[in-house]
Amino acid sequence: MREKSFKRYLFDFIVIVLGITVSFWFNQLSIKRSDNKERIKVLNNIEKEIAEIEKYCDERLNAWNDDIGLYTEFLNDNLNVESIKNITSSKGRIEFNLIYYRDFEPPMNRYNSMISSGDLKFIKSEKIKETLTRLHNLNYSNLKTSVEYEKSLKQELINILTENHSEILFAADSYKTSIEIYSSLLHKSIQSDQELKSNLLIQMKYFKSRVSLLKLYMYTLDELKSEVKNSLD
C-alpha cells in the first residue's frame, strides 16, 4: 500500500516537474521569438534610416563641393565667369555661400527614438552597436564642431562685407546687376582686400576639412549598412 502511494506521489511529482519545465521552455521560446521579432524590426528601422541619411549626405556633399568650387574661382587671380555659371547661375547662391553657413542635421529620428525606448538592447551584434555609436557620436560630433567654426568665420566675413564692401550686398539684391557683373565686382573686391581674401582662404580650409569629415561619416555609414544587411540575412 505504501509502495503504491509512493509511486503515485512520485509520478505526480514527475508530472509537475515536467509541466513546469515544459511551461518554462515554452515561455523562453516565446520570449526568444518576441525578441527576434523586435530585433528584426529594429534592424529594418536602422536600414531605412541609413537610406535616408545616404540621400542627405549625397546632397550635402554635392553642395559642399560646389561651395569649394565657387571659392576657388573667386580666389583665383583670374576670374572665369563661365566656370562660376557652370556651378550656379544665381547671384543668391553665391551670396548664400558667402554669408550663410550650412548646418549638418542628418535624419536621426529613428535612432534617437530607439535610444529613448531602449530598443537597441535587441541588437545582438556588438559590431553594429559600436558602429552606430561611432557614426552618431564621434563622426557626427566632428562635423558639428566644423559647422560651429564656420559660423564664427561667417560672422566675421559679414562684418567685413557690411563695413568695407556694402556694394556687393546691394548688387546681389539688384535685378539690374547680372551674374557676370556681380561676379566681377566680388572678384575685384576679394583681390584688392587682403582681410577679405584671407578670411575666405581660411573658410576654404574649413570647407575642405568638412568634406573630408563627411566622407569619413559616409564611410562609417556604409560600414553600418553592410553589418545590418549581414545581420538581416
Side-chain angles (χ1 to χ4, degrees):
M1 190 72 174
R2 287 182 179 178
E3 185 179 348
K4 287 183 180 180
S5 296
F6 174 76
K7 287 182 179 179
R8 187 178 45 146
Y9 289 140
L10 180 61
F11 177 77
D12 289 345
F13 176 76
I14 293 172
V15 169
I16 291 171
V17 170
L18 285 175
I20 293 173
T21 302
V22 171
S23 176
F24 177 78
W25 183 79
F26 273 112
N27 185 56
Q28 289 298 110
L29 184 62
S30 176
I31 292 173
K32 186 176 180 181
R33 285 176 177 172
S34 176
D35 285 355
N36 193 51
K37 287 181 180 178
E38 290 299 319
R39 182 182 70 87
I40 292 173
K41 180 181 176 181
V42 168
L43 291 173
N44 282 330
N45 279 332
I46 293 174
E47 196 171 46
K48 289 176 183 176
E49 191 159 86
I50 287 171
E52 294 171 0
I53 295 175
E54 281 181 327
K55 182 179 178 181
Y56 177 87
C57 286
D58 286 340
E59 293 172 352
R60 191 59 48 171
L61 182 61
N62 288 334
W64 288 357
N65 279 328
D66 283 348
D67 291 346
I68 292 172
L70 285 174
Y71 268 48
T72 299
E73 292 303 326
F74 283 110
L75 287 167
N76 282 339
D77 292 338
N78 298 314
L79 178 65
N80 188 333
V81 177
E82 290 305 313
S83 293
I84 291 171
K85 290 169 68 175
N86 285 335
I87 298 173
T88 181
S89 59
S90 168
K91 293 183 295 179
R93 169 68 173 80
I94 298 172
E95 184 182 51
F96 182 95
N97 208 164
L98 288 172
I99 65 177
Y100 295 102
Y101 70 93
R102 294 187 187 278
D103 210 340
F104 184 74
E105 293 294 344
M108 296 167 55
N109 292 338
R110 287 186 173 89
Y111 174 75
N112 290 331
S113 176
M114 286 184 284
I115 289 290
S116 299
S117 64
D119 285 347
L120 288 179
K121 68 183 179 183
F122 294 110
I123 298 176
K124 294 180 179 180
S125 171
E126 291 300 321
K127 180 64 175 177
I128 290 178
K129 292 178 183 178
E130 183 274 327
T131 308
L132 274 169
T133 300
R134 183 155 35 96
L135 179 74
H136 292 303
N137 288 281
L138 178 62
N139 296 159
Y140 176 72
S141 176
N142 287 338
L143 276 162
K144 291 296 289 183
T145 300
S146 177
V147 169
E148 290 303 312
Y149 282 133
E150 184 186 348
K151 284 170 65 175
S152 62
L153 287 170
K154 289 295 184 186
Q155 186 57 55
E156 185 178 344
L157 177 60
I158 291 171
N159 292 337
I160 295 171
L161 290 174
T162 53
E163 291 176 10
N164 304 326
H165 302 280
S166 57
E167 72 278 3
I168 294 173
L169 301 175
F170 293 134
D173 289 335
S174 173
Y175 69 91
K176 295 180 180 179
T177 305
S178 66
I179 188 170
E180 289 85 358
I181 294 173
Y182 175 76
S183 297
S184 296
L185 181 63
L186 177 57
H187 180 261
K188 183 179 178 181
S189 296
I190 293 170
Q191 298 304 318
S192 63
D193 186 336
Q194 292 301 303
E195 185 181 13
L196 175 57
K197 189 172 185 178
S198 61
N199 182 285
L200 296 179
L201 284 168
I202 294 173
Q203 282 194 46
M204 172 78 93
K205 293 180 187 294
Y206 276 106
F207 285 175
K208 291 179 178 179
S209 174
R210 190 178 56 182
V211 166
S212 296
L213 289 171
L214 178 58
K215 288 180 178 179
L216 179 59
Y217 180 94
M218 293 171 75
Y219 176 83
T220 306
L221 185 67
D222 192 57
E223 188 180 344
L224 176 63
K225 181 180 180 180
S226 177
E227 291 295 331
V228 170
K229 185 178 184 303
N230 288 337
S231 291
L232 284 172
D233 289 343

